[in-house]
């Protein structure tokens, strides 16, 4: 069974940094795009950053210059380095991966979410 397991969330002060990790496990044939989304209370889930299998990246305007997404293909892991955090970054962060499991169809998978709280 394919799973995405996130780690690294927690509490940070404004101006601080956190690093999120998301590891895919299970019998996976190929992982295509991976990304991070977030959902703040009362708001819709939004894309934060995405990275293709070739390493091309895309960021929400609100995090450009502060967040960096990267991936380790061998470890089936995607990272989100978050710097210069502000209280507006407070949200539950979700990992997403477009992947094909062994013997199954390609589709999007989601992690369980990890809470990031930034205090002012």
């Amino acid at each position: 069974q394919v799973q995405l397991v996130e780690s690294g969330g927690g509490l940070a002060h404004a101006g601080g940094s956190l690093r999120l990790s998301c590891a895919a496990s299970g019998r996976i044939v190929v992982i295509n795009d991976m990304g991070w989304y977030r959902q703040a209370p009362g708001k819709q889930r939004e894309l934060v950053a995405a990275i293709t299998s070739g390493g091309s990246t895309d960021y929400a305007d609100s995090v450009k210059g502060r967040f960096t997404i990267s991936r380790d293909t061998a470890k089936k892991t995607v990272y989100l380095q978050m710097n210069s955090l502000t209280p507006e970054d407070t949200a539950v962060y979700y990992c997403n991966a477009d992947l094909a499991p062994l013997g199954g169809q390609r589709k999007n998978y989601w992690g369980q979410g990890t809470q990031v709280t930034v205090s002012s």
Side-chain angles (χ1 to χ4, degrees):
Q1 183 176 357
V2 173
Q3 284 188 313
L4 300 180
V5 180
E6 298 128 337
S7 60
L11 177 65
H13 293 296
S17 298
L18 286 173
R19 188 189 193 212
L20 305 182
S21 299
C22 171
S25 64
R27 303 176 75 183
I28 298 169
V29 175
V30 63
I31 302 177
N32 301 299
D33 296 353
M34 302 185 81
W36 290 94
Y37 289 71
R38 68 186 181 187
Q39 187 166 18
K43 295 187 177 181
Q44 289 189 329
R45 190 173 297 189
E46 63 174 357
L47 175 67
V48 176
I51 185 167
T52 68
S53 57
S56 296
T57 58
D58 189 28
Y59 296 92
D61 288 343
S62 59
V63 307
K64 283 180 180 177
R66 300 188 299 121
F67 290 9
T68 301
I69 189 170
S70 61
R71 65 191 286 174
D72 185 325
T73 301
K75 294 183 178 179
K76 300 177 185 175
T77 299
V78 63
Y79 306 95
L80 186 68
Q81 177 66 43
M82 305 185 293
N83 298 329
S84 302
L85 286 162
T86 74
E88 287 69 37
D89 295 317
T90 295
V92 178
Y93 283 70
Y94 297 91
C95 173
N96 175 272
D98 171 12
L99 63 85
L102 183 65
Q105 289 190 331
R106 173 181 172 180
K107 66 175 185 177
N108 270 301
Y109 288 80
W110 291 91
Q112 79 284 359
T114 185
Q115 177 70 47
V116 170
T117 302
V118 183
S119 62
S120 59

